Amino acid sequence: MEYTSEIVENLLRNYYTLQQHPDSTFAFYKLDLENGLKSLKQQSEVLYFTIVNVFVNGMPIQDQAYNEGVSTRQVNRRLHDGLHALTLIMNGEGL
């Protein structure tokens, strides 16, 4: 399957419900997502933790910016870059 940034973002936002879905297709999505996140963490922990905190854990961007000591604009940039990188990884393309 070819992933788009929108699909990856939706998978991240629904990360905890993927494992409970009865359709086996969602198990493959979760596996791809977990492998992609693992690879992203190895390549850039900053992008990984920003994506996980905001998209998966639901932390507001303002709180994430405060915790990291950066502006909300910087967090938005990290989200964009991290989502793009994760999408590339999940599609089997390197960074």
Side-chain angles (χ1 to χ4, degrees):
M1 171 180 187
E2 184 75 21
Y3 292 102
T4 64
S5 293
E6 292 81 19
I7 291 173
V8 174
E9 182 178 343
N10 284 329
L11 290 173
L12 286 165
R13 290 184 187 277
N14 295 297
Y15 180 80
Y16 293 115
T17 59
L18 287 176
Q19 64 191 17
Q20 299 170 358
H21 202 282
D23 188 351
S24 63
T25 304
F26 289 94
F28 292 114
Y29 292 155
K30 186 173 188 300
L31 184 61
D32 284 348
L33 185 60
E34 286 177 346
N35 289 334
L37 285 170
K38 184 177 178 181
S39 181
L40 180 64
K41 185 177 181 181
Q42 292 172 348
Q43 295 180 21
S44 175
E45 286 190 3
V46 171
L47 295 180
Y48 168 82
F49 284 113
T50 301
I51 282 181
V52 169
N53 283 335
V54 174
F55 288 142
V56 177
N57 297 332
M59 180 181 284
I61 291 174
Q62 295 83 358
D63 293 350
Q64 182 70 23
Y66 178 79
N67 289 343
E68 292 184 16
V70 298
S71 68
T72 56
R73 181 180 214 137
Q74 183 65 30
V75 172
N76 280 323
R77 173 50 72 194
R78 288 179 182 172
L79 288 173
H80 177 269
D81 291 348
L83 188 58
H84 179 71
L86 183 58
T87 303
L88 289 175
I89 291 168
M90 289 177 66
N91 284 323
E93 302 172 27
L95 293 180

